[in-house]
Amino acid sequence: MSTYLEQLETPVPVVDLDRLSLNLDRMAAYVTLHGLRLRPHVKTHKSPRIAADQLRLGAVGLTCATLREAEVMSDVCDDLLLAYPPIGAARLERMAKLPPEVRVSVALDDALALDALNVAARLGHRTFNVLVEADLGMHRVGVATSDKAVAIAQQVQRYSALTFGGLLFYPGHIREAVADQGAALSQLGADIAGYRNALTAVGLPPHVVSGGSTPAAWRMHEIPGVTEVRPGTYVYNDRTTARVGACDWDDCALTVLATVISTSVKGQVVVDAGTKSLGREPLPADGEGYGALLDHPEVVVSRMSEEHGVLDISRSTFRPRLGDQVRIVPNHVCIVVHLFDEIIGVRGHAVETRWPVAARGRAPSHDFADIGPRGVRRR
Ligand SMILES: Cc1ncc(COP(=O)(O)O)c(C=O)c1O
């Protein structure tokens, strides 16, 4: 028997399968056209099912932030990049235990990390490939000068279980509209040239220069020297992505399906999606709320409690009634995905499939394999 959106219990994340396919195809075509390699970040979907589609469409590997992501994705991919500093014994132990057939690269910004990384690799009877992360404007992590990058790359050479792979940067500071990114991209190009020249001068040319985010994804080919890109959000897109023009509103593939649960306070409509479904991610400008209706983008979620979202209907003639369903485009889709166990795949109003958000959480992926549905460990 088929199921329709109207029969689903809300709030629930719903993915339009046609839009998802288009988003995957568009990025695959873009990188092919420009001779770039695609290593998508899985933090957006956290699902082996979508990762497998990305790989089928030509992605050379996957990018992960957490060890849970890496463990889950190692089922479908044998070339993983941990774009997260490998600091702490527990993290290193899990890295070393990733399946031996998986090639593991890791981004880091401090030579102090190398000793422990090398020990972990040797204990795990494997090697790790190191990319030096450079801070090219985001000011989150990354070395600040090419001298420091050279020092780390040279240090890597001294460890038997480590190899030097190249350079990595994350242009998360580029948040302007796609059409206005020219100056920031030129600056990135100049900075990357400086790093490349310095590394090449000591005989360590960076074979990989890994960059990219979704807002800057469509102009990465304009930066000379970039070899691979790591967008994540592009699979589903969200209000932030649409706002900078990195996708159209119709490319937003994931919405939170919610039900109107109260209209009794004058001038407002309340739905059953609050912070525990939408997160509390602001947009850069004040007063734009925490999500907007797919079919009426002028209606925004203006206030939230944990399980309540207040729709601001003052700029719209749309008047949803008690019990009606609405589809909310979140401000930041990656947070929403992480809040749910399962995603519903729909075509039109028909529910076609569902899949688990298998890599959510932090626990080792094998930890819960023996735990039954009631949380009782099986013998
Ligand atoms: C290191 C790194 N690479 C790639 C990405 C993907 O960028 P986006 O979310 O804009 O697609 C992120 C996002 O947080 C990141 O932190």
mmCIF file of all heavy atoms in Angstrom, residues 327-375:
data_model
loop_
_atom_site.group_PDB
_atom_site.id
_atom_site.type_symbol
_atom_site.label_atom_id
_atom_site.label_comp_id
_atom_site.label_asym_id
_atom_site.label_seq_id
_atom_site.Cartn_x
_atom_site.Cartn_y
_atom_site.Cartn_z
ATOM 1 N N ARG A 327 5.727 22.575 4.545
ATOM 2 C CA ARG A 327 7.107 22.087 4.370
ATOM 3 C C ARG A 327 8.061 23.252 4.589
ATOM 4 O O ARG A 327 7.993 24.259 3.885
ATOM 5 C CB ARG A 327 7.269 21.465 2.983
ATOM 6 C CG ARG A 327 6.474 20.166 2.887
ATOM 7 C CD ARG A 327 6.475 19.607 1.497
ATOM 8 N NE ARG A 327 7.754 19.002 1.165
ATOM 9 C CZ ARG A 327 7.955 18.272 0.058
ATOM 10 N NH1 ARG A 327 6.965 18.079 -0.794
ATOM 11 N NH2 ARG A 327 9.129 17.752 -0.180
ATOM 12 N N ILE A 328 8.951 23.078 5.563
ATOM 13 C CA ILE A 328 9.844 24.181 5.967
ATOM 14 C C ILE A 328 11.260 23.935 5.427
ATOM 15 O O ILE A 328 11.858 22.873 5.677
ATOM 16 C CB ILE A 328 9.897 24.293 7.508
ATOM 17 C CG1 ILE A 328 8.482 24.514 8.066
ATOM 18 C CG2 ILE A 328 10.834 25.424 7.936
ATOM 19 C CD1 ILE A 328 8.406 24.383 9.582
ATOM 20 N N VAL A 329 11.790 24.914 4.696
ATOM 21 C CA VAL A 329 13.192 24.867 4.260
ATOM 22 C C VAL A 329 14.033 25.418 5.413
ATOM 23 O O VAL A 329 13.850 26.566 5.819
ATOM 24 C CB VAL A 329 13.426 25.716 2.991
ATOM 25 C CG1 VAL A 329 14.900 25.671 2.579
ATOM 26 C CG2 VAL A 329 12.531 25.235 1.852
ATOM 27 N N PRO A 330 14.930 24.588 5.977
ATOM 28 C CA PRO A 330 15.717 25.071 7.128
ATOM 29 C C PRO A 330 16.812 26.045 6.706
ATOM 30 O O PRO A 330 17.241 26.045 5.553
ATOM 31 C CB PRO A 330 16.326 23.786 7.691
ATOM 32 C CG PRO A 330 16.401 22.846 6.535
ATOM 33 C CD PRO A 330 15.269 23.203 5.598
ATOM 34 N N ASN A 331 17.284 26.828 7.673
ATOM 35 C CA ASN A 331 18.404 27.737 7.396
ATOM 36 C C ASN A 331 19.675 26.949 7.111
ATOM 37 O O ASN A 331 20.451 27.306 6.232
ATOM 38 C CB ASN A 331 18.654 28.654 8.596
ATOM 39 C CG ASN A 331 17.596 29.744 8.695
ATOM 40 O OD1 ASN A 331 16.676 29.803 7.884
ATOM 41 N ND2 ASN A 331 17.735 30.594 9.700
ATOM 42 N N HIS A 332 19.903 25.894 7.889
ATOM 43 C CA HIS A 332 21.147 25.109 7.765
ATOM 44 C C HIS A 332 20.775 23.629 7.814
ATOM 45 O O HIS A 332 20.509 23.074 8.883
ATOM 46 C CB HIS A 332 22.101 25.482 8.907
ATOM 47 C CG HIS A 332 23.449 24.851 8.767
ATOM 48 N ND1 HIS A 332 24.486 25.109 9.639
ATOM 49 C CD2 HIS A 332 23.949 23.961 7.876
ATOM 50 C CE1 HIS A 332 25.548 24.402 9.282
ATOM 51 N NE2 HIS A 332 25.238 23.695 8.217
ATOM 52 N N VAL A 333 20.784 23.001 6.667
ATOM 53 C CA VAL A 333 20.224 21.649 6.552
ATOM 54 C C VAL A 333 21.048 20.598 7.301
ATOM 55 O O VAL A 333 20.505 19.604 7.788
ATOM 56 C CB VAL A 333 20.037 21.283 5.057
ATOM 57 C CG1 VAL A 333 21.370 21.023 4.365
ATOM 58 C CG2 VAL A 333 19.111 20.098 4.902
ATOM 59 N N CYS A 334 22.360 20.803 7.402
ATOM 60 C CA CYS A 334 23.217 19.781 8.045
ATOM 61 C C CYS A 334 22.808 19.567 9.504
ATOM 62 O O CYS A 334 22.879 18.446 10.017
ATOM 63 C CB CYS A 334 24.679 20.184 7.979
ATOM 64 S SG CYS A 334 25.211 20.705 6.348
ATOM 65 N N ILE A 335 22.404 20.636 10.167
ATOM 66 C CA ILE A 335 21.990 20.518 11.566
ATOM 67 C C ILE A 335 20.699 19.715 11.648
ATOM 68 O O ILE A 335 20.534 18.844 12.510
ATOM 69 C CB ILE A 335 21.774 21.919 12.183
ATOM 70 C CG1 ILE A 335 23.015 22.785 12.018
ATOM 71 C CG2 ILE A 335 21.338 21.811 13.650
ATOM 72 C CD1 ILE A 335 24.229 22.299 12.767
ATOM 73 N N VAL A 336 19.776 19.973 10.743
ATOM 74 C CA VAL A 336 18.482 19.268 10.750
ATOM 75 C C VAL A 336 18.682 17.766 10.581
ATOM 76 O O VAL A 336 18.117 16.955 11.314
ATOM 77 C CB VAL A 336 17.568 19.823 9.634
ATOM 78 C CG1 VAL A 336 16.330 18.956 9.471
ATOM 79 C CG2 VAL A 336 17.189 21.254 9.951
ATOM 80 N N VAL A 337 19.502 17.390 9.612
ATOM 81 C CA VAL A 337 19.738 15.967 9.359
ATOM 82 C C VAL A 337 20.241 15.284 10.629
ATOM 83 O O VAL A 337 19.809 14.190 10.992
ATOM 84 C CB VAL A 337 20.743 15.785 8.193
ATOM 85 C CG1 VAL A 337 21.185 14.338 8.061
ATOM 86 C CG2 VAL A 337 20.125 16.274 6.889
ATOM 87 N N HIS A 338 21.141 15.969 11.318
ATOM 88 C CA HIS A 338 21.747 15.389 12.510
ATOM 89 C C HIS A 338 20.734 15.211 13.647
ATOM 90 O O HIS A 338 20.973 14.473 14.601
ATOM 91 C CB HIS A 338 22.907 16.284 12.975
ATOM 92 C CG HIS A 338 23.758 15.648 14.017
ATOM 93 N ND1 HIS A 338 24.522 14.534 13.773
ATOM 94 C CD2 HIS A 338 23.947 15.937 15.329
ATOM 95 C CE1 HIS A 338 25.152 14.183 14.879
ATOM 96 N NE2 HIS A 338 24.814 15.018 15.835
ATOM 97 N N LEU A 339 19.570 15.869 13.548
ATOM 98 C CA LEU A 339 18.573 15.781 14.623
ATOM 99 C C LEU A 339 17.620 14.603 14.445
ATOM 100 O O LEU A 339 16.801 14.337 15.320
ATOM 101 C CB LEU A 339 17.769 17.089 14.689
ATOM 102 C CG LEU A 339 18.562 18.336 15.110
ATOM 103 C CD1 LEU A 339 17.729 19.601 14.945
ATOM 104 C CD2 LEU A 339 19.048 18.202 16.544
ATOM 105 N N PHE A 340 17.689 13.926 13.307
ATOM 106 C CA PHE A 340 16.720 12.854 13.030
ATOM 107 C C PHE A 340 17.411 11.504 12.778
ATOM 108 O O PHE A 340 18.546 11.463 12.309
ATOM 109 C CB PHE A 340 15.877 13.213 11.796
ATOM 110 C CG PHE A 340 14.883 14.321 12.068
ATOM 111 C CD1 PHE A 340 15.220 15.657 11.842
ATOM 112 C CD2 PHE A 340 13.621 14.023 12.568
ATOM 113 C CE1 PHE A 340 14.316 16.670 12.106
ATOM 114 C CE2 PHE A 340 12.709 15.043 12.830
ATOM 115 C CZ PHE A 340 13.056 16.362 12.600
ATOM 116 N N ASP A 341 16.667 10.427 13.062
ATOM 117 C CA ASP A 341 17.198 9.075 12.820
ATOM 118 C C ASP A 341 17.042 8.658 11.373
ATOM 119 O O ASP A 341 17.798 7.827 10.873
ATOM 120 C CB ASP A 341 16.429 8.045 13.670
ATOM 121 C CG ASP A 341 16.697 8.229 15.141
ATOM 122 O OD1 ASP A 341 17.843 8.567 15.490
ATOM 123 O OD2 ASP A 341 15.757 8.060 15.939
ATOM 124 N N GLU A 342 16.005 9.205 10.716
ATOM 125 C CA GLU A 342 15.624 8.659 9.420
ATOM 126 C C GLU A 342 15.168 9.778 8.481
ATOM 127 O O GLU A 342 14.617 10.786 8.929
ATOM 128 C CB GLU A 342 14.451 7.692 9.648
ATOM 129 C CG GLU A 342 14.184 6.785 8.508
ATOM 130 C CD GLU A 342 12.976 5.892 8.773
ATOM 131 O OE1 GLU A 342 11.907 6.395 9.145
ATOM 132 O OE2 GLU A 342 13.122 4.680 8.568
ATOM 133 N N ILE A 343 15.417 9.567 7.202
ATOM 134 C CA ILE A 343 14.990 10.524 6.171
ATOM 135 C C ILE A 343 13.924 9.832 5.313
ATOM 136 O O ILE A 343 14.055 8.650 4.981
ATOM 137 C CB ILE A 343 16.183 10.897 5.259
ATOM 138 C CG1 ILE A 343 17.342 11.479 6.074
ATOM 139 C CG2 ILE A 343 15.755 11.837 4.137
ATOM 140 C CD1 ILE A 343 17.142 12.846 6.628
ATOM 141 N N ILE A 344 12.912 10.589 4.938
ATOM 142 C CA ILE A 344 11.855 10.049 4.075
ATOM 143 C C ILE A 344 12.086 10.572 2.655
ATOM 144 O O ILE A 344 12.232 11.779 2.456
ATOM 145 C CB ILE A 344 10.459 10.534 4.553
ATOM 146 C CG1 ILE A 344 10.248 10.231 6.042
ATOM 147 C CG2 ILE A 344 9.358 9.930 3.682
ATOM 148 C CD1 ILE A 344 10.075 8.788 6.393
ATOM 149 N N GLY A 345 12.134 9.663 1.684
ATOM 150 C CA GLY A 345 12.321 10.070 0.278
ATOM 151 C C GLY A 345 10.984 10.077 -0.439
ATOM 152 O O GLY A 345 10.256 9.073 -0.416
ATOM 153 N N VAL A 346 10.648 11.214 -1.066
ATOM 154 C CA VAL A 346 9.334 11.323 -1.720
ATOM 155 C C VAL A 346 9.478 11.726 -3.181
ATOM 156 O O VAL A 346 10.475 12.342 -3.586
ATOM 157 C CB VAL A 346 8.425 12.371 -1.012
ATOM 158 C CG1 VAL A 346 8.170 11.974 0.424
ATOM 159 C CG2 VAL A 346 9.008 13.774 -1.086
ATOM 160 N N ARG A 347 8.491 11.337 -3.974
ATOM 161 C CA ARG A 347 8.357 11.848 -5.337
ATOM 162 C C ARG A 347 6.961 12.431 -5.405
ATOM 163 O O ARG A 347 5.987 11.713 -5.199
ATOM 164 C CB ARG A 347 8.555 10.733 -6.358
ATOM 165 C CG ARG A 347 9.706 11.042 -7.301
ATOM 166 C CD ARG A 347 9.982 9.908 -8.246
ATOM 167 N NE ARG A 347 10.998 9.001 -7.752
ATOM 168 C CZ ARG A 347 12.320 9.201 -7.855
ATOM 169 N NH1 ARG A 347 12.775 10.276 -8.443
ATOM 170 N NH2 ARG A 347 13.173 8.326 -7.377
ATOM 171 N N GLY A 348 6.893 13.751 -5.596
ATOM 172 C CA GLY A 348 5.595 14.404 -5.466
ATOM 173 C C GLY A 348 5.110 14.215 -4.040
ATOM 174 O O GLY A 348 5.845 14.458 -3.095
ATOM 175 N N HIS A 349 3.894 13.714 -3.894
ATOM 176 C CA HIS A 349 3.360 13.472 -2.548
ATOM 177 C C HIS A 349 3.523 12.024 -2.109
ATOM 178 O O HIS A 349 3.164 11.668 -0.989
ATOM 179 C CB HIS A 349 1.871 13.854 -2.506
ATOM 180 C CG HIS A 349 1.674 15.314 -2.289
ATOM 181 N ND1 HIS A 349 0.904 15.844 -1.291
ATOM 182 C CD2 HIS A 349 2.199 16.376 -2.941
ATOM 183 C CE1 HIS A 349 0.948 17.160 -1.348
ATOM 184 N NE2 HIS A 349 1.721 17.503 -2.352
ATOM 185 N N ALA A 350 4.060 11.186 -2.986
ATOM 186 C CA ALA A 350 4.149 9.761 -2.665
ATOM 187 C C ALA A 350 5.465 9.437 -1.958
ATOM 188 O O ALA A 350 6.536 9.820 -2.427
ATOM 189 C CB ALA A 350 4.037 8.935 -3.939
ATOM 190 N N VAL A 351 5.358 8.745 -0.838
ATOM 191 C CA VAL A 351 6.556 8.288 -0.137
ATOM 192 C C VAL A 351 7.110 7.088 -0.897
ATOM 193 O O VAL A 351 6.415 6.101 -1.101
ATOM 194 C CB VAL A 351 6.221 7.881 1.318
ATOM 195 C CG1 VAL A 351 7.424 7.229 1.982
ATOM 196 C CG2 VAL A 351 5.761 9.101 2.109
ATOM 197 N N GLU A 352 8.385 7.205 -1.332
ATOM 198 C CA GLU A 352 8.950 6.133 -2.146
ATOM 199 C C GLU A 352 9.924 5.272 -1.358
ATOM 200 O O GLU A 352 10.064 4.080 -1.575
ATOM 201 C CB GLU A 352 9.663 6.749 -3.358
ATOM 202 C CG GLU A 352 10.036 5.735 -4.398
ATOM 203 C CD GLU A 352 10.570 6.394 -5.657
ATOM 204 O OE1 GLU A 352 9.823 7.118 -6.331
ATOM 205 O OE2 GLU A 352 11.758 6.174 -5.949
ATOM 206 N N THR A 353 10.641 5.906 -0.420
ATOM 207 C CA THR A 353 11.688 5.169 0.293
ATOM 208 C C THR A 353 12.008 5.889 1.603
ATOM 209 O O THR A 353 11.530 6.993 1.860
ATOM 210 C CB THR A 353 12.950 5.059 -0.607
ATOM 211 O OG1 THR A 353 13.966 4.348 0.086
ATOM 212 C CG2 THR A 353 13.501 6.410 -0.987
ATOM 213 N N ARG A 354 12.798 5.264 2.418
ATOM 214 C CA ARG A 354 13.311 5.910 3.635
ATOM 215 C C ARG A 354 14.684 5.331 3.930
ATOM 216 O O ARG A 354 14.982 4.201 3.542
ATOM 217 C CB ARG A 354 12.361 5.720 4.814
ATOM 218 C CG ARG A 354 11.856 4.315 5.018
ATOM 219 C CD ARG A 354 10.893 4.250 6.189
ATOM 220 N NE ARG A 354 9.574 4.735 5.837
ATOM 221 C CZ ARG A 354 8.742 5.341 6.686
ATOM 222 N NH1 ARG A 354 9.103 5.562 7.935
ATOM 223 N NH2 ARG A 354 7.559 5.731 6.302
ATOM 224 N N TRP A 355 15.544 6.128 4.568
ATOM 225 C CA TRP A 355 16.883 5.612 4.882
ATOM 226 C C TRP A 355 17.370 6.207 6.201
ATOM 227 O O TRP A 355 16.988 7.321 6.567
ATOM 228 C CB TRP A 355 17.863 5.885 3.747
ATOM 229 C CG TRP A 355 18.121 7.327 3.407
ATOM 230 C CD1 TRP A 355 19.050 8.154 3.972
ATOM 231 C CD2 TRP A 355 17.441 8.104 2.403
ATOM 232 N NE1 TRP A 355 19.002 9.380 3.385
ATOM 233 C CE2 TRP A 355 18.024 9.386 2.418
ATOM 234 C CE3 TRP A 355 16.402 7.840 1.498
ATOM 235 C CZ2 TRP A 355 17.599 10.411 1.574
ATOM 236 C CZ3 TRP A 355 15.985 8.862 0.658
ATOM 237 C CH2 TRP A 355 16.579 10.130 0.691
ATOM 238 N N PRO A 356 18.217 5.446 6.909
ATOM 239 C CA PRO A 356 18.706 5.934 8.201
ATOM 240 C C PRO A 356 19.813 6.979 8.052
ATOM 241 O O PRO A 356 20.561 6.936 7.073
ATOM 242 C CB PRO A 356 19.270 4.673 8.867
ATOM 243 C CG PRO A 356 19.648 3.794 7.734
ATOM 244 C CD PRO A 356 18.721 4.108 6.582
ATOM 245 N N VAL A 357 19.895 7.877 9.010
ATOM 246 C CA VAL A 357 21.025 8.819 9.071
ATOM 247 C C VAL A 357 22.118 8.067 9.842
ATOM 248 O O VAL A 357 22.379 8.316 11.010
ATOM 249 C CB VAL A 357 20.612 10.138 9.766
ATOM 250 C CG1 VAL A 357 21.759 11.141 9.727
ATOM 251 C CG2 VAL A 357 19.372 10.717 9.096
ATOM 252 N N ALA A 358 22.724 7.129 9.131
ATOM 253 C CA ALA A 358 23.531 6.102 9.794
ATOM 254 C C ALA A 358 24.750 6.647 10.523
ATOM 255 O O ALA A 358 25.213 6.059 11.494
ATOM 256 C CB ALA A 358 23.963 5.072 8.751
ATOM 257 N N ALA A 359 25.288 7.776 10.053
ATOM 258 C CA ALA A 359 26.537 8.273 10.653
ATOM 259 C C ALA A 359 26.292 9.392 11.663
ATOM 260 O O ALA A 359 27.218 10.100 12.033
ATOM 261 C CB ALA A 359 27.493 8.745 9.556
ATOM 262 N N ARG A 360 25.041 9.555 12.121
ATOM 263 C CA ARG A 360 24.811 10.597 13.128
ATOM 264 C C ARG A 360 25.359 10.128 14.479
ATOM 265 O O ARG A 360 25.540 8.939 14.713
ATOM 266 C CB ARG A 360 23.339 10.963 13.229
ATOM 267 C CG ARG A 360 22.471 9.932 13.894
ATOM 268 C CD ARG A 360 21.032 10.369 13.861
ATOM 269 N NE ARG A 360 20.763 11.470 14.763
ATOM 270 C CZ ARG A 360 19.838 11.442 15.727
ATOM 271 N NH1 ARG A 360 19.076 10.379 15.895
ATOM 272 N NH2 ARG A 360 19.663 12.471 16.504
ATOM 273 N N GLY A 361 25.617 11.080 15.357
ATOM 274 C CA GLY A 361 26.131 10.735 16.679
ATOM 275 C C GLY A 361 27.639 10.537 16.650
ATOM 276 O O GLY A 361 28.301 10.768 15.649
ATOM 277 N N ARG A 362 28.153 10.129 17.770
ATOM 278 C CA ARG A 362 29.618 10.032 17.934
ATOM 279 C C ARG A 362 30.085 8.614 18.189
ATOM 280 O O ARG A 362 31.273 8.316 18.064
ATOM 281 C CB ARG A 362 30.057 10.874 19.148
ATOM 282 C CG ARG A 362 29.653 12.315 19.075
ATOM 283 C CD ARG A 362 30.657 13.103 18.289
ATOM 284 N NE ARG A 362 30.117 14.405 17.940
ATOM 285 C CZ ARG A 362 30.752 15.295 17.219
ATOM 286 N NH1 ARG A 362 31.951 15.025 16.761
ATOM 287 N NH2 ARG A 362 30.202 16.437 16.932
ATOM 288 N N ALA A 363 29.178 7.749 18.638
ATOM 289 C CA ALA A 363 29.599 6.430 19.114
ATOM 290 C C ALA A 363 30.236 5.631 17.990
ATOM 291 O O ALA A 363 29.870 5.792 16.825
ATOM 292 C CB ALA A 363 28.392 5.683 19.654
ATOM 293 N N PRO A 364 31.182 4.753 18.344
ATOM 294 C CA PRO A 364 31.746 3.867 17.317
ATOM 295 C C PRO A 364 30.614 3.117 16.628
ATOM 296 O O PRO A 364 29.668 2.681 17.282
ATOM 297 C CB PRO A 364 32.633 2.912 18.117
ATOM 298 C CG PRO A 364 32.970 3.657 19.357
ATOM 299 C CD PRO A 364 31.791 4.536 19.663
ATOM 300 N N SER A 365 30.702 2.964 15.325
ATOM 301 C CA SER A 365 29.570 2.412 14.582
ATOM 302 C C SER A 365 29.269 0.974 14.976
ATOM 303 O O SER A 365 28.157 0.512 14.837
ATOM 304 C CB SER A 365 29.798 2.524 13.083
ATOM 305 O OG SER A 365 30.916 1.771 12.728
ATOM 306 N N HIS A 366 30.267 0.260 15.506
ATOM 307 C CA HIS A 366 30.000 -1.135 15.880
ATOM 308 C C HIS A 366 29.426 -1.248 17.281
ATOM 309 O O HIS A 366 28.918 -2.284 17.667
ATOM 310 C CB HIS A 366 31.285 -1.953 15.773
ATOM 311 C CG HIS A 366 32.458 -1.302 16.449
ATOM 312 N ND1 HIS A 366 32.635 -1.363 17.793
ATOM 313 C CD2 HIS A 366 33.473 -0.541 15.946
ATOM 314 C CE1 HIS A 366 33.740 -0.673 18.112
ATOM 315 N NE2 HIS A 366 34.257 -0.165 17.015
ATOM 316 N N ASP A 367 29.466 -0.157 18.090
ATOM 317 C CA ASP A 367 29.072 -0.232 19.494
ATOM 318 C C ASP A 367 27.638 -0.701 19.703
ATOM 319 O O ASP A 367 27.337 -1.364 20.674
ATOM 320 C CB ASP A 367 29.201 1.139 20.143
ATOM 321 C CG ASP A 367 30.405 1.204 21.056
ATOM 322 O OD1 ASP A 367 31.301 0.382 20.849
ATOM 323 O OD2 ASP A 367 30.429 2.075 21.942
ATOM 324 N N PHE A 368 26.752 -0.291 18.796
ATOM 325 C CA PHE A 368 25.345 -0.565 19.016
ATOM 326 C C PHE A 368 24.845 -1.771 18.235
ATOM 327 O O PHE A 368 23.685 -2.113 18.294
ATOM 328 C CB PHE A 368 24.506 0.669 18.657
ATOM 329 C CG PHE A 368 24.788 1.822 19.567
ATOM 330 C CD1 PHE A 368 25.300 3.008 19.076
ATOM 331 C CD2 PHE A 368 24.571 1.698 20.929
ATOM 332 C CE1 PHE A 368 25.581 4.058 19.931
ATOM 333 C CE2 PHE A 368 24.842 2.748 21.791
ATOM 334 C CZ PHE A 368 25.351 3.933 21.289
ATOM 335 N N ALA A 369 25.775 -2.423 17.526
ATOM 336 C CA ALA A 369 25.351 -3.527 16.661
ATOM 337 C C ALA A 369 24.665 -4.627 17.466
ATOM 338 O O ALA A 369 23.770 -5.306 16.968
ATOM 339 C CB ALA A 369 26.547 -4.086 15.917
ATOM 340 N N ASP A 370 25.075 -4.795 18.719
ATOM 341 C CA ASP A 370 24.502 -5.901 19.498
ATOM 342 C C ASP A 370 23.428 -5.419 20.471
ATOM 343 O O ASP A 370 23.055 -6.110 21.397
ATOM 344 C CB ASP A 370 25.619 -6.626 20.264
ATOM 345 C CG ASP A 370 26.339 -5.695 21.225
ATOM 346 O OD1 ASP A 370 26.162 -4.471 21.094
ATOM 347 O OD2 ASP A 370 27.047 -6.197 22.106
ATOM 348 N N ILE A 371 22.950 -4.206 20.274
ATOM 349 C CA ILE A 371 21.928 -3.687 21.189
ATOM 350 C C ILE A 371 20.563 -3.785 20.510
ATOM 351 O O ILE A 371 20.373 -3.321 19.394
ATOM 352 C CB ILE A 371 22.242 -2.234 21.600
ATOM 353 C CG1 ILE A 371 23.506 -2.238 22.453
ATOM 354 C CG2 ILE A 371 21.080 -1.637 22.368
ATOM 355 C CD1 ILE A 371 23.881 -0.912 23.015
ATOM 356 N N GLY A 372 19.633 -4.436 21.188
ATOM 357 C CA GLY A 372 18.300 -4.645 20.626
ATOM 358 C C GLY A 372 17.465 -3.375 20.649
ATOM 359 O O GLY A 372 17.893 -2.355 21.195
ATOM 360 N N PRO A 373 16.263 -3.429 20.064
ATOM 361 C CA PRO A 373 15.423 -2.243 19.944
ATOM 362 C C PRO A 373 15.053 -1.624 21.285
ATOM 363 O O PRO A 373 14.756 -0.435 21.365
ATOM 364 C CB PRO A 373 14.188 -2.749 19.197
ATOM 365 C CG PRO A 373 14.298 -4.234 19.152
ATOM 366 C CD PRO A 373 15.697 -4.610 19.440
ATOM 367 N N ARG A 374 15.077 -2.401 22.359
ATOM 368 C CA ARG A 374 14.740 -1.821 23.671
ATOM 369 C C ARG A 374 15.976 -1.334 24.406
ATOM 370 O O ARG A 374 15.937 -1.027 25.599
ATOM 371 C CB ARG A 374 14.024 -2.855 24.528
ATOM 372 C CG ARG A 374 12.631 -3.165 24.050
ATOM 373 C CD ARG A 374 12.115 -4.410 24.766
ATOM 374 N NE ARG A 374 11.004 -4.965 24.041
ATOM 375 C CZ ARG A 374 9.741 -4.607 24.234
ATOM 376 N NH1 ARG A 374 9.446 -3.705 25.129
ATOM 377 N NH2 ARG A 374 8.786 -5.146 23.526
ATOM 378 N N GLY A 375 17.091 -1.312 23.739
ATOM 379 C CA GLY A 375 18.304 -0.798 24.375
ATOM 380 C C GLY A 375 18.971 -1.841 25.263
ATOM 381 O O GLY A 375 19.842 -1.525 26.065
#
